[in-house]
Amino acid sequence: MMMHLARLELTNFKNYEEVTLEFSPGFNCFVGNNGVGKTNILDAVHYLSLTKSFFNNSDTLSIRHGEDYFIIKGTFVTDGISDDLHCAFQKQKQKIFRINGKEYQRMSDHVGKYPVVMLSPADSTLITGSSEERRRFLNMIISQYDAPYLEAHMRYNKALMQRNRILRGSGNDASGLLEIYDEQMAAEAEIIYQSRRKLTENLLPLFRSYYEKISGGAEKVSIRYRSHLGTGEYLRQLAESRRRDFALQYTTAGIHRD
């Protein structure tokens, strides 16, 4: 399957008031001084692929200064067939995402249709940064080819938010209610754990091969996914950490902390 982004239109997106770009099916390079907006173009492509910014959690931060909305339009061509994408956001309103004029009811239904991998100098944090950066990387990659993973991750996060809300607002007498969310989280966590473990195992031979070329065979490296689920039954861990969770008012064990 051959796919490429043929056209990109930006309105009030970050530093761009209005711009239209056309791309070739091969490599496309952006050349310019620092701060002129090269990375902002890449972030717009990220929006069209994953419905959100690579850099910011808030869509408001992607609006051009002094404006109250942005629009991103793009045309992807796959084996000669064109799809027109439209992403728009206005302050105080819901983000809108359309494909060929049809609006998505759930943004997650779009994820994976047009895969993208974002590389930046900040990728060094995958090695030197916190585990949150590595989880974010795994989530971004797996969600684009494994729809059940994305759905499980969304359900897990929803249950986690509810569990943490109970921990912050209730006493120890809410243990029965916590058990409901514990069971939901345990089921979704197993799906997430297995997908992350499988990706890590698949990456290992590639990682070793490339590193061996870089080091000239002088060093050996490895990758290992360490998870709470790899140390025992997750339901039991949640039960055993319940007193501590009530004291700290958040869930201390789980794949969200791997």
Side-chain angles (χ1 to χ4, degrees):
M1 181 175 67
M2 297 295 294
M3 176 189 297
H4 77 280
L5 177 64
R7 183 181 177 90
L8 181 67
E9 299 179 40
L10 307 178
T11 303
N12 294 332
F13 182 76
K14 297 194 172 181
N15 68 314
Y16 291 101
E17 180 178 6
E18 193 167 353
V19 66
T20 298
L21 302 169
E22 295 186 354
F23 305 108
S24 70
F27 285 102
N28 294 268
C29 300
F30 302 102
V31 180
N33 294 329
N34 290 338
V36 298
K38 301 185 298 297
T39 304
N40 291 342
I41 294 175
L42 299 181
D43 201 27
V45 177
H46 193 275
Y47 257 103
L48 292 180
S49 295
L50 291 170
T51 76
K52 61 183 180 180
S53 170
F54 177 79
F55 301 100
N56 305 313
N57 292 325
S58 172
D59 293 312
T60 302
L61 297 176
S62 295
I63 298 176
R64 187 170 181 264
H65 180 70
E67 303 293 342
D68 69 345
Y69 75 96
F70 72 75
I71 298 174
I72 305 171
K73 296 181 181 179
T75 300
F76 279 92
V77 179
T78 306
D79 293 336
I81 300 175
S82 298
D83 288 320
D84 295 322
L85 307 183
H86 176 105
C87 177
F89 174 75
Q90 186 173 5
K91 292 179 180 178
Q92 310 302 324
K93 293 186 178 181
Q94 292 288 334
K95 181 166 53 184
I96 297 173
F97 206 101
R98 300 190 184 102
I99 180 170
N100 297 326
K102 184 177 180 180
E103 184 174 342
Y104 283 102
Q105 298 304 309
R106 301 192 315 163
M107 297 291 177
S108 59
D109 290 339
H110 179 73
V111 176
K113 290 183 181 293
Y114 307 96
V116 64
V117 176
M118 189 81 161
L119 303 177
S120 78
D123 285 346
S124 60
T125 57
L126 290 173
I127 305 298
T128 61
S130 67
S131 58
E132 181 179 1
E133 295 294 333
R134 291 181 282 278
R135 289 194 302 271
R136 182 170 179 256
F137 175 77
L138 290 175
N139 292 338
M140 180 186 69
I141 298 298
I142 301 174
S143 294
Q144 295 186 77
Y145 68 80
D146 188 343
Y149 176 92
L150 177 58
E151 294 292 334
H153 195 263
M154 293 170 61
R155 290 191 297 264
Y156 179 91
N157 283 339
K158 184 177 180 180
L160 176 64
M161 289 177 59
Q162 294 293 338
R163 190 179 194 274
N164 286 343
R165 186 174 291 117
I166 294 171
L167 292 172
R168 291 192 299 268
S170 304
N172 291 325
D173 57 344
S175 294
L177 188 56
L178 282 186
E179 290 178 0
I180 298 175
Y181 292 110
D182 288 356
E183 292 179 1
Q184 294 179 11
M185 291 170 60
E188 310 303 345
E190 182 63 26
I191 297 173
I192 297 168
Y193 169 67
Q194 294 298 339
S195 293
R196 288 179 178 176
R197 185 177 60 82
K198 184 177 180 180
L199 174 61
T200 305
E201 292 174 352
N202 290 339
L203 282 176
L204 180 56
L206 292 173
F207 181 53
R208 282 177 170 168
S209 174
Y210 283 115
Y211 195 89
E212 184 176 353
K213 293 177 181 178
I214 294 173
S215 67
E219 299 176 353
K220 301 295 183 181
V221 294
S222 184
I223 303 175
R224 184 163 60 95
Y225 173 42
R226 293 192 300 178
S227 172
H228 284 82
L229 272 70
T231 60
E233 184 186 5
Y234 186 37
L235 268 177
R236 178 180 56 79
Q237 294 181 50
L238 287 171
E240 292 176 349
S241 65
R242 193 166 295 162
R243 179 175 295 181
R244 179 177 57 188
D245 291 352
F246 271 116
L248 297 175
Q249 298 186 334
Y250 66 88
T251 304
T252 58
I255 50 94
H256 61 287
R257 298 182 64 82
D258 284 352

